[in-house]
Amino acid sequence: MLHCVITCGVSMSYEIVAAQAGLSSKATKNHWPAWLDILQGSTGLFLALFMWGHMAFVASILLGETAMWTVTRLFEGYFIFGRSYPGLVSCAVAFVALAFVAHALLAVRKFPVSYRQCRTILSHAKAMRHEDSALWIVQVCTGFLLFFFVSAHLYQMFVWPQNIGPYASADRVWSDGLWPFYLTMLLAVELHGGIGLYRLAVKWGWPNVPRAVLKTVKWGLTAFFLVLGLATLAAYMKIGFDHRAHYGERYTPERMLEDGARREGGQ
Amino acid sequence: MSAITENNGSAAAVDAEPRQGRWLTFNILRCDPADPGAVPHLRAYRIEEADSMTLFIALNEIREHQDPTLKFDFVCRAGICGSCAMMVNGRPKLACRTLTASLPAENTLAPLPFFELIGDLSVNTGKWMRGMSERLQTWLHGREDDVDLRRIEERMDPDLAEQIYELDRCIECGCCVAACGTARMREDFVGAVGFGKIARFRLDPRDARTDGDYYALIGDDTGVFGCMSLLACHDVCPKSLPLQTQIAFLRRKMAMTGTRR
Amino acid sequence: MKTIMTDVLVIGGGLAGLRMAIAARRRGHDAIVLSLVPPKRSHSAAAQGGMQASLANVSRGAGDNEDVHFEDTVRGSDWGADQVVARMFVNTAPKAVRELAAWGTPWSRLRRGDHEVIINEQKVVLTERAEAHGLIAQRDFGGTKKWRTCYVSDGTGHAMLFTTSDQAIRHGVEVHERTEALALIHDGARCYGAVVRNLVTGELAAYLAKATAIATGGAGRLYRVTTNAVICEGIGHALALETGVAALGNMEAVQFHPTGIFPAGILVTEGCRGDGGLLRDVDGHRFMPDYEPEKKELASRDVVSRRMEEHIRAGRGAPTRFGPHLWLDITLLGRRHIEHNLREVKEICQYFLGIDPAESWIPVRPAQHYTMGGVRTDHTGQSPHLKGLFAAGEAACWDLHGFNRLGGNSVAETVVAGMIVGEFIADFCDKPENTVPVPLTLAREFVRREEAGLSAILACGGHENPFQLCSEMQEIMTHYVGIFRQGDALLSGVVNLQHLLARSREIGVSGKSRAANPELVAAYRLRRMLKVALTIAYGAYLRTESRGAHFREDFPRRDDQGWLKRTLAFWPDEDPALPRIDYEPLDVMKMELPPGWRGYGAKNYIDHPDAPRRRQEVDATRARMRDADRHAVQNALMPYADELPASLAGRNERLDEPLETAQ
């Protein structure tokens, strides 16, 4: 190292030197805080909207196994390429994971990090009896849970994208015993996303409507997606229960079974 | 003349018959930082409620008749100076204009958190506010140093003047900061009072500063990007300042400024 | 002993104190402001209605200028004012408003075109000229011929104080918050600073300065019902009085504001009446026109307050168990006006009375409001008796207000006197002969004396309770030294106060802490307050006439022959427990406006022997200079321009009085 200094000399930017000395640079505008704040909000917005879309796709099971199968195949490119490429799903998962990690990293900056901070914010919210403050605690707690649950879920979906389907998913929920995992994640994600979107709206002042209205809309959406989510989970549990004897078998729509039989018969 | 001498305190309904006095309990958080051996503790005081009694009257009565060592701050006792903010049942309020009729029989009074404690209910908001003012340079940065005072003043749109006054009504009582979850966790946070000031000067055409200048003051996580929008500031502000919309507005402006080259 | 040295020591962090400190800083001197509370919490913030300055922007202010403002002020003072000071004041007031405008005060601004106002119960449409659009607006106030009161909604004092305080921060004025001056350090001829107690730690320190300025505001808390903040205890007055050398002037002149909300005494602004609000009695009858047909609700405050008490005495008050009161009716102004121009009033009614003033009448009764008297100073703000001691604002007897102050002149005085006296203080500090060797021995002696005083209070095992004695004092002052005064009652008041002063030596405090200790504070302040109370009561007893706010039922006439003089109170010895009262005659022959009828109130007074001669002189001069401009006439009558600091001299521009042609 010393050798290096002697031979090469050291050239460091003013920013580095000033930052190491603990001085904020007045001369040059620091763009980072603005970008990070925008990024935190936009990744949150993306994830929340994605989550709702995701919920809609998953809930297709309520319309029947075939509907869900169709949605799955759609994402695997089946209707474009004529065959499934689960790798496409992995790509999408990777993108969402990227947003998720970015959001988590940015949001964790705001988390209470010491025992003192935890105690302060908890007693504060409790004594204040203030809904928006209490909601933030919910957001932190659910966010903390989601670190683990969403990470695990994303990993699973990334590595085994082919295991998404009416029977495969139902088996996972029931026979693999993951329904408590999904139930917890559902509750956490819906609360976190709903509150997050509301927070985003008041934070940036858009849409510019009274907070009471925003809150009513927020609770309405949360309730809707929770009901939808619970119904969906119940559907998978039921299918998984009925299908437990045929664990591992993949769903094929009856139409295709017939087609296949016809084709076999024709050969 | 003598009638003037007989009254003491304020009246919500001066014509009302004297009500049956309710007994009020005030559990007051006592602490004397000057005494290293003293342990903070809650002490209960009971007084009989009088007609149109405010916390100003109640606390003075406790001090005059029960405990002359009780420390608290009042100045104007009319809700305009911001001295007497304290936690009334867990929420920051101006004590002088809190009628006991609006309180339950059992109450807890505590000093504002976040600020340096002087003793009991008295905290040093003034010191913090001066620091905030120096940090955010909360004075008008005029375009010229010396205005010719003999000349007619510069014109200003009447509606704009009223809008500026709307934000200028802040009394620096500290309620917003004491209610702020962000400030409670990070002590270097500017707080809603600071944002209100910046918004006020930003609105003022007499101030020569640009958004870039304001960005240098509040464009980071101790400033507007640190605000988590819990909005307790907005909900407890005794002057009903539009803090929610002003902070959101600043966030948009500062985000735009910060992302511009 | 902790010693802190500076150039200018300002005691009091309200508008006057801060403005003086800024003036000193701008001239390159160090300044420390001592303040009981954070300066932005000072009582200056409570001024609601506005500040008078003859800008003549509004249509109803057309033709207003320094001359009209001067006459209103002198008439309002019942000829007690120092007319040279009044002239200095009215010429600087527009500059003060404009300075604050340049510093950021959000003055309410004028809108061109028609707007509807309420004047004398009638809706009147006023038309504002286009060229005045955006200039500072003015409203009507009591005792004024023109609409002259500049305002920021009804939070004028607040906005001014925050502007000024922020400028003080900008200029690096050091403010030592939560400190209290206990005594001035002096040698009988020169003031060197003060012994100061830190109210948090209890520590005493000597603050030494070239110039010391008192700007501690009023003494309202000597009375039971007052609009004043709880910190307005007359401590600054007591500081000067206790030197034994400096004098307090006109302490018997105490103003009662007509509209303190009943019974708490919290102020609702004169702007309520200025904007068209009415006073009504138990029957809802508007009674002021019966007494004051011309100015009605907008006569000067002393007159309105007295008429209100008179009406209550006649049995026309609304009875309550706290006693009778009258009503202030602003419902006719309309909700929009109240919510924009009288929003503090609205908040106060809502929080303290539980009523909506747009729909209900406000219960009011006169409450102690202002201390015209104070530390006697010359026109530069310096005590004529103790060199190096200055005073400004309500704590001073400069003497702008004489025996009654006009609404809107006090908050104006704070900044105007702050500017003027601030410059004179800087001049004082500039002079090499005023740099004195540091009197450390003297300072130590004073600190030791105060230390011993506090120890004595803490050690005294007496049975008297300071809070109890304080409320007895307030009772006595309100009862015997109130709006209506009488010789024997005043004498009883004096005797009772003396008795209390003796009892105050028997105060025992239960908490023995030397640090923050409210009981100890109450104890040492009480003795000082009692002395100030005694100067008021004794001065009122001796003044056997009625003038301005000082009204003697046994001597209801103003007596210029016997009493056209300023009361000076000194307190050289502890025994007897009374101030020494002197008088300082006012020279009628030098007055620009010789004594006469005020234009409202009782029309009987005993003329001063010189008055007719002076009136003749003045009339002759005016006749002779019929064609000269008003400044020349004024200069011929009573030259004052040389008395102003050079930086504040000069005429004021108005739309109708452009500076170029005026010069």
Side-chain angles (χ1 to χ4, degrees):
Chain A
M1 194 61 215
L2 185 68
H3 176 74
C4 171
V5 171
I6 292 167
T7 53
C8 319
V10 177
S11 160
M12 286 190 281
S13 73
Y14 164 74
E15 274 73 30
I16 300 276
V17 180
Q20 190 185 25
L23 299 171
S24 69
S25 150
K26 278 248 161 135
T28 54
K29 188 159 66 181
N30 186 354
H31 299 274
W32 278 107
W35 278 119
L36 295 184
D37 197 54
I38 291 174
L39 208 59
Q40 182 184 339
S42 48
T43 50
L45 178 66
F46 166 73
L47 289 170
L49 294 179
F50 168 78
M51 172 202 71
W52 281 347
H54 173 281
M55 175 55 75
F57 301 137
V58 175
S60 57
I61 197 71
L62 295 172
L63 301 177
E65 282 97 336
T66 310
M68 198 275 180
W69 178 88
T70 311
V71 169
T72 317
R73 288 296 152 116
L74 179 74
F75 284 104
E76 288 170 351
Y78 180 83
F79 300 110
I80 302 170
F81 307 113
R83 56 163 295 194
S84 289
Y85 292 97
L88 287 176
V89 174
S90 290
C91 288
V93 170
F95 182 75
V96 172
L98 205 66
F100 172 74
V101 170
H103 183 71
L105 273 176
L106 291 166
V108 81
R109 296 179 303 163
K110 317 277 167 155
F111 276 33
V113 287
S114 64
Y115 170 71
R116 212 182 118 255
Q117 284 188 341
C118 285
R119 212 184 61 156
T120 303
I121 193 73
L122 284 175
S123 62
H124 173 76
K126 195 170 172 195
M128 283 274 298
R129 293 165 286 117
H130 180 252
E131 193 189 358
D132 283 54
S133 299
L135 285 179
W136 187 76
I137 307 276
V138 174
Q139 225 182 340
V140 169
C141 294
T142 53
F144 186 73
L145 279 179
L146 292 175
F147 274 141
F148 308 104
F149 282 75
V150 172
S151 300
H153 181 59
L154 285 171
Y155 181 79
Q156 204 170 25
M157 294 301 111
F158 180 77
V159 178
W160 299 288
Q162 67 277 18
N163 285 357
I164 305 174
Y167 287 162
S169 298
D171 284 347
R172 197 162 57 240
V173 167
W174 185 258
S175 298
D176 292 348
L178 280 182
W179 63 265
F181 174 89
Y182 284 109
L183 179 64
T184 316
M185 188 161 70
L186 171 72
L187 291 172
V189 107
E190 289 306 334
L191 284 172
H192 190 89
I195 299 170
L197 279 181
Y198 160 77
R199 182 93 57 216
L200 209 55
V202 292
K203 212 177 219 181
W204 295 91
W206 190 88
N208 188 16
V209 293
R211 240 194 299 161
V213 175
L214 278 180
K215 227 176 240 171
T216 313
V217 172
K218 172 197 107 64
W219 282 121
L221 283 170
T222 304
F224 170 75
F225 280 103
L226 266 182
V227 169
L228 188 65
L230 289 172
T232 304
L233 186 60
Y236 282 112
M237 285 168 78
K238 167 136 195 336
I239 295 168
F241 178 78
D242 294 342
H243 193 253
R244 67 189 184 285
H246 308 282
Y247 178 83
E249 182 202 49
R250 292 292 179 265
Y251 176 78
T252 313
E254 277 183 26
R255 181 168 48 83
M256 288 187 65
L257 281 177
E258 284 163 16
D259 282 358
R262 206 177 303 131
R263 225 171 288 141
E264 266 166 30
Q267 270 177 355
Chain B
M1 272 323 301
S2 63
I4 274 195
T5 69
E6 282 161 17
N7 53 59
N8 175 18
S10 76
V14 284
D15 299 317
E17 287 299 304
R19 278 189 303 151
Q20 193 68 8
R22 191 166 57 133
W23 279 87
L24 300 172
T25 305
F26 290 103
N27 297 305
I28 300 179
L29 186 61
R30 304 292 312 266
C31 182
D32 183 4
D35 178 0
V39 183
H41 60 283
L42 275 176
R43 191 168 157 197
Y45 300 90
R46 276 169 60 76
I47 60 166
E48 192 178 0
E49 186 173 29
D51 237 16
S52 57
M53 183 181 249
T54 58
L55 279 181
F56 166 69
I57 298 169
L59 284 170
N60 272 296
E61 197 172 306
I62 291 172
R63 178 148 89 187
E64 282 167 29
H65 300 295
Q66 298 186 37
D67 189 343
T69 65
L70 184 63
K71 290 181 265 295
F72 49 75
D73 292 322
F74 286 100
V75 177
C76 74
R77 63 83 174 85
I80 50 174
C81 79
S83 300
C84 63
M86 58 179 73
M87 299 306 255
V88 181
N89 296 326
R91 286 192 141 206
K93 277 200 166 92
L94 293 184
C96 73
R97 69 174 202 192
T98 301
L99 290 164
T100 54
S102 69
L103 298 174
E106 173 114 11
N107 298 280
T108 307
L109 302 181
L112 282 192
F114 184 80
F115 299 99
E116 180 191 9
L117 180 68
I118 290 172
D120 302 337
L121 302 173
S122 170
V123 292
N124 206 337
T125 49
K127 185 174 159 188
W128 190 87
M129 291 295 169
R130 166 108 187 192
M132 181 274 296
S133 278
E134 285 170 353
R135 175 175 163 196
L136 298 184
Q137 303 176 11
T138 63
W139 54 84
L140 191 93
H141 290 52
R143 285 168 207 285
E144 46 203 308
D145 255 356
D146 277 310
V147 178
D148 185 347
L149 299 180
R150 300 171 308 158
R151 300 280 171 187
I152 285 180
E153 65 275 9
E154 222 181 291
R155 286 171 170 78
M156 180 186 271
D157 180 71
D159 294 322
L160 178 60
E162 201 177 320
Q163 281 168 33
I164 295 173
Y165 174 61
E166 178 78 28
L167 298 177
D168 204 60
R169 292 179 73 237
C170 170
I171 54 174
E172 299 188 2
C173 58
C175 285
C176 58
V177 186
C180 173
T182 312
R184 296 298 312 279
M185 288 201 303
R186 39 188 326 160
E187 282 163 12
D188 53 357
F189 186 55
V190 162
V193 54
F195 297 134
K197 305 261 163 192
I198 295 291
R200 179 243 177 273
F201 287 107
R202 202 186 161 280
L203 193 59
D204 198 323
R206 294 168 293 190
D207 199 300
R209 282 178 286 185
T210 62
D211 274 344
D213 297 324
Y214 294 124
Y215 187 83
L217 297 172
I218 57 164
D220 64 9
D221 273 6
T222 66
V224 74
F225 300 127
C227 169
M228 305 189 298
S229 302
L230 311 194
L231 298 175
C233 55
H234 182 98
D235 296 334
V236 302
C237 177
K239 293 286 147 185
S240 309
L241 296 188
L243 294 170
Q244 179 191 338
T245 49
Q246 289 304 319
I247 298 174
F249 178 73
L250 279 182
R251 183 174 226 120
R252 294 200 299 271
K253 290 293 165 198
M254 290 301 107
M256 264 153 63
T257 310
T259 51
R260 225 176 285 142
R261 287 209 60 78
Chain C
M1 178 185 72
K2 186 170 162 186
T3 312
I4 292 168
M5 270 177 280
T6 184
D7 294 322
V8 182
L9 177 67
V10 179
I11 305 172
L15 274 172
L18 291 171
R19 187 59 189 81
M20 282 193 284
I22 291 171
R25 284 290 297 163
R26 294 217 294 186
R27 294 271 302 270
H29 302 288
D30 269 345
I32 293 180
V33 174
L34 304 178
S35 186
L36 294 173
V37 297
K40 283 175 180 164
R41 316 235 187 275
S42 303
H43 189 55
S44 303
Q48 296 169 355
M51 120 167 215
Q52 289 206 40
S54 54
L55 301 183
N57 290 336
V58 294
S59 56
R60 285 275 169 154
D64 196 14
N65 57 36
E66 295 85 0
D67 297 351
V68 189
H69 190 185
F70 169 78
E71 290 206 3
D72 284 344
T73 301
V74 174
R75 286 178 200 281
S77 80
D78 226 354
W79 276 272
D82 180 325
Q83 297 197 4
V84 169
V85 165
R87 266 293 170 188
M88 292 165 70
F89 164 77
V90 295
N91 196 61
T92 311
K95 296 184 177 69
V97 175
R98 287 167 178 171
E99 179 179 78
L100 285 166
W103 282 356
T105 303
W107 295 110
S108 294
R109 301 292 175 136
L110 205 62
R111 197 185 304 275
R112 70 169 76 85
D114 293 349
H115 63 112
E116 202 172 71
V117 296
I118 308 280
I119 299 174
N120 195 21
E121 289 186 272
Q122 302 298 314
K123 282 191 179 158
V124 178
V125 173
L126 299 181
T127 309
E128 303 299 344
R129 38 192 181 161
E131 62 266 37
H133 184 77
L135 292 180
I136 295 170
Q138 287 102 50
R139 58 162 52 129
D140 200 8
F141 249 43
T144 63
K145 282 209 177 72
K146 304 281 181 186
W147 289 26
R148 187 186 299 128
T149 308
C150 309
Y151 59 97
V152 183
S153 183
D154 64 344
T156 314
H158 164 86
M160 290 169 67
L161 181 63
F162 271 56
T163 304
T164 309
S165 189
D166 284 337
Q167 287 294 324
I169 295 171
R170 170 192 168 194
H171 287 288
V173 170
E174 242 182 274
V175 181
H176 293 193
E177 292 174 9
R178 295 177 184 269
T179 56
E180 173 172 9
L182 296 182
L184 295 176
I185 298 170
H186 68 99
D187 57 11
R190 174 81 161 85
C191 181
Y192 299 103
V195 180
V196 176
R197 179 168 182 268
N198 182 319
L199 291 169
V200 177
T201 64
E203 185 186 24
L204 295 194
Y207 281 62
L208 299 172
K210 289 182 197 164
T212 307
I214 292 178
T216 51
R221 288 284 152 179
L222 301 179
Y223 287 83
R224 189 156 204 47
V225 181
T226 174
T227 63
N228 284 192
V230 300
I231 50 170
C232 301
E233 300 180 307
I235 296 304
H237 297 84
L239 284 174
L241 194 63
E242 288 200 319
T243 61
V245 191
L248 301 186
N250 285 346
M251 287 304 287
E252 63 269 37
V254 177
Q255 182 174 81
F256 290 78
H257 195 289
T259 54
I261 64 170
F262 184 83
I266 294 169
L267 175 71
V268 288
T269 174
E270 182 153 331
C272 289
R273 282 171 292 133
D275 292 357
L278 308 174
L279 290 169
R280 299 187 185 278
D281 65 13
V282 63
D283 306 319
H285 170 64
R286 182 189 176 195
F287 59 92
M288 277 308 292
D290 305 345
Y291 295 101
E292 297 294 333
E294 196 187 329
K295 298 291 290 185
K296 307 181 182 74
E297 278 85 359
L298 288 171
S300 66
R301 286 177 180 172
D302 57 327
V303 172
V304 178
S305 291
R306 234 166 10 242
R307 298 302 197 191
M308 288 170 72
E309 286 300 324
E310 202 176 329
H311 204 62
I312 287 175
R313 281 180 168 193
R316 315 304 303 156
T320 73
R321 66 190 194 84
F322 295 112
H325 66 79
L326 296 162
W327 299 105
L328 172 64
D329 173 12
I330 59 170
T331 58
L332 68 167
L333 306 186
R335 181 170 297 281
R336 203 198 121 74
H337 183 90
I338 292 171
E339 282 174 1
H340 282 82
N341 289 354
L342 298 169
R343 44 192 307 172
E344 299 295 331
V345 170
K346 183 171 184 281
E347 266 189 21
I348 286 168
C349 289
Q350 180 188 330
Y351 283 100
F352 294 92
L353 298 168
I355 62 165
D356 176 0
E359 294 189 343
S360 317
W361 296 348
I362 308 166
V364 292
R365 189 165 180 180
Q368 193 284 348
H369 182 59
Y370 192 80
T371 318
M372 267 78 71
V375 182
R376 177 68 187 130
T377 71
D378 59 21
H379 70 279
T380 70
Q382 188 171 201
S383 164
H385 312 97
L386 190 57
K387 192 178 170 191
L389 176 66
F390 293 79
E394 191 175 350
C397 177
W398 190 23
D399 174 7
L400 171 65
H401 307 303
F403 275 75
N404 177 63
R405 167 179 77 75
L406 289 189
N409 260 357
S410 72
V411 77
E413 186 198 14
T414 60
V415 279
V416 169
M419 291 165 90
I420 295 175
V421 177
E423 289 302 318
F424 283 124
I425 288 177
D427 290 346
F428 180 89
C429 291
D430 279 342
K431 288 188 187 132
E433 68 266 28
N434 289 328
T435 305
V436 287
V438 182
L440 277 178
T441 319
L442 186 71
R444 186 168 296 126
E445 198 181 300
F446 271 82
V447 170
R448 203 173 290 147
R449 205 184 67 189
E450 292 308 314
E451 196 80 66
L454 294 178
S455 301
I457 294 175
L458 288 169
C460 173
H463 56 278
E464 298 286 1
N465 172 332
F467 301 115
Q468 172 63 29
L469 293 190
C470 185
S471 70
E472 283 183 39
M473 171 192 68
Q474 294 170 333
E475 209 70 63
I476 294 168
M477 289 301 286
T478 309
H479 196 71
Y480 298 111
V481 202
I483 296 181
F484 289 102
R485 299 169 175 181
Q486 259 181 8
D488 42 356
L490 286 166
L491 192 58
S492 311
V494 170
V495 172
N496 282 326
L497 288 170
Q498 284 180 308
H499 184 57
L500 272 188
L501 190 59
R503 281 171 65 196
S504 74
R505 300 205 175 86
E506 298 301 320
I507 289 176
V509 292
S510 52
K512 300 297 182 191
S513 168
R514 278 182 175 272
N517 182 347
E519 203 182 6
L520 176 66
V521 173
Y524 67 68
R525 280 190 196 162
L526 178 69
R527 291 188 201 175
R528 297 179 165 92
M529 290 167 80
L530 279 166
K531 285 185 180 173
V532 179
L534 267 164
T535 61
I536 296 175
Y538 192 47
Y541 169 68
L542 295 180
R543 185 173 282 271
T544 51
E545 65 149 356
S546 292
R547 183 181 296 274
H550 171 70
F551 187 80
R552 287 282 297 258
E553 289 183 285
D554 41 356
F555 298 94
R557 287 202 293 181
R558 189 180 89 204
D559 178 3
D560 288 344
Q561 190 177 347
W563 286 103
L564 193 58
K565 51 193 185 185
R566 196 168 285 127
T567 310
L568 296 181
F570 301 85
W571 200 294
D573 306 302
E574 288 300 312
D575 282 312
L578 264 188
R580 190 187 88 222
I581 303 286
D582 273 354
Y583 294 96
E584 177 190 343
L586 275 65
D587 189 350
V588 173
M589 294 310 289
K590 287 193 176 146
M591 287 183 182
E592 181 182 334
L593 183 66
W597 182 51
R598 299 167 88 188
Y600 43 81
K603 200 176 182 173
N604 64 343
Y605 57 92
I606 302 167
D607 215 4
H608 191 278
D610 292 344
R613 192 150 55 95
R614 179 59 182 163
R615 274 197 289 268
Q616 253 171 21
E617 271 182 25
V618 170
D619 291 344
T621 309
R622 286 193 190 282
R624 193 179 72 239
M625 301 182 71
R626 200 176 307 118
D627 301 324
D629 87 344
R630 63 184 182 88
H631 300 283
V633 178
Q634 193 285 321
N635 192 52
L637 291 172
M638 189 185 71
Y640 77 95
D642 293 343
E643 311 294 351
L644 273 173
S647 59
L648 297 175
R651 295 174 188 177
N652 298 301
E653 188 179 25
R654 294 179 183 81
L655 282 178
D656 300 321
E657 239 180 341
L659 213 45
E660 285 75 18
T661 56
Q663 271 171 337

